[in-house]
Amino acid sequence: ENYEVTVADIGRLQEESAYLASMNAVMCERMGWADMQALIEKFQARVSFGAREDVLSLAEIEGLKTFQARILYKSGLRTPEEVYQCSTQRIAQILSDNDVRARANPGRYLGMYAKIAKRVHSAARDLLSRRAEELLREAEALREIKPDTRSPPSQEERERRGLKEVSDAEGLEE
């Protein structure tokens, strides 16, 4: 059947859906609904990348198309770390082996897949570097938090505070 929907229409709907999900996630964050925020952010990533949850980590690799991420995932490369650790020749071979055109004429497409593999390998390295930098910034921010060095109040202090709160409450009732 012809639904008269173009690829551009689908792309626009995908972008709008991801944007709306992002706005909902921000709202959830401001409302303090952390669980709902996490669910919506996961949904947003799936919509943005057009991928199922199992290949989302691979879909984060810039320039790697969703169908290519699925091919790598099925071949055992499930994370950006595994893609980076894999040789570019192996990545090119995996992608080439899963292309019907390349199987029919192997020499013709191997060069194209070698270029794609180099780009994917480099993008995986860049993604891992960004993640490492982010973790270092977070660790530094945590180091800057000063622990509370005050000792807990004594029993006498807690009782005194309790009596003060009671007298304050009685004062409000008058």
Side-chain angles (χ1 to χ4, degrees), residues 27-97:
M27 181 192 74
C28 289
E29 177 185 23
R30 291 183 180 163
M31 298 295 290
W33 301 342
D35 292 342
M36 182 64 82
Q37 177 188 357
L39 288 171
I40 291 174
E41 285 174 346
K42 200 171 251 191
F43 170 74
Q44 177 196 1
R46 287 190 60 190
V47 170
S48 294
F49 294 120
R52 289 191 211 133
E53 190 172 347
D54 55 352
V55 296
L56 276 181
S57 66
L58 291 177
E60 289 183 68
I61 299 173
E62 192 173 325
L64 186 64
K65 296 182 172 128
T66 304
F67 77 93
Q68 293 169 329
R70 170 77 44 209
I71 290 168
L72 294 177
Y73 185 87
K74 286 182 177 180
S75 297
L77 302 176
R78 295 198 156 82
T79 65
E81 292 85 357
E82 291 173 349
V83 171
Y84 179 64
Q85 291 169 356
C86 188
S87 71
T88 55
Q89 295 83 4
R90 179 74 182 122
I91 295 169
Q93 192 64 51
I94 290 169
L95 294 174
S96 178
D97 288 349

Side-chain angles (χ1 to χ4, degrees), residues 8-159:
D9 291 335
I10 292 171
R12 184 177 43 74
L13 288 171
Q14 183 179 11
E15 286 177 19
E16 289 174 2
S17 296
Y19 174 77
L20 290 173
S22 172
M23 293 297 99
N24 279 307
V26 169
M27 181 192 74
C28 289
E29 177 185 23
R30 291 183 180 163
M31 298 295 290
W33 301 342
D35 292 342
M36 182 64 82
Q37 177 188 357
L39 288 171
I40 291 174
E41 285 174 346
K42 200 171 251 191
F43 170 74
Q44 177 196 1
R46 287 190 60 190
V47 170
S48 294
F49 294 120
R52 289 191 211 133
E53 190 172 347
D54 55 352
V55 296
L56 276 181
S57 66
L58 291 177
E60 289 183 68
I61 299 173
E62 192 173 325
L64 186 64
K65 296 182 172 128
T66 304
F67 77 93
Q68 293 169 329
R70 170 77 44 209
I71 290 168
L72 294 177
Y73 185 87
K74 286 182 177 180
S75 297
L77 302 176
R78 295 198 156 82
T79 65
E81 292 85 357
E82 291 173 349
V83 171
Y84 179 64
Q85 291 169 356
C86 188
S87 71
T88 55
Q89 295 83 4
R90 179 74 182 122
I91 295 169
Q93 192 64 51
I94 290 169
L95 294 174
S96 178
D97 288 349
N98 286 278
D99 186 338
V100 176
R101 300 168 303 168
R103 277 186 264 152
N105 190 352
R108 181 172 182 202
Y109 292 97
L110 197 53
M112 176 184 77
Y113 281 112
K115 289 179 186 175
I116 291 171
K118 285 179 185 175
R119 191 176 65 239
V120 166
H121 193 266
S122 176
R125 181 194 65 230
D126 294 345
L127 174 63
L128 295 174
S129 293
R130 283 193 307 275
R131 285 181 180 175
E133 289 170 6
E134 186 176 313
L135 287 172
L136 288 172
R137 280 193 303 272
E138 288 176 11
E140 186 60 35
L142 288 173
R143 273 191 226 108
E144 291 176 5
I145 296 174
K146 302 290 186 227
D148 187 1
T149 56
R150 297 176 295 174
S151 58
S154 65
Q155 178 68 27
E156 183 180 301
E157 178 65 21
R158 287 194 305 272
E159 288 173 4

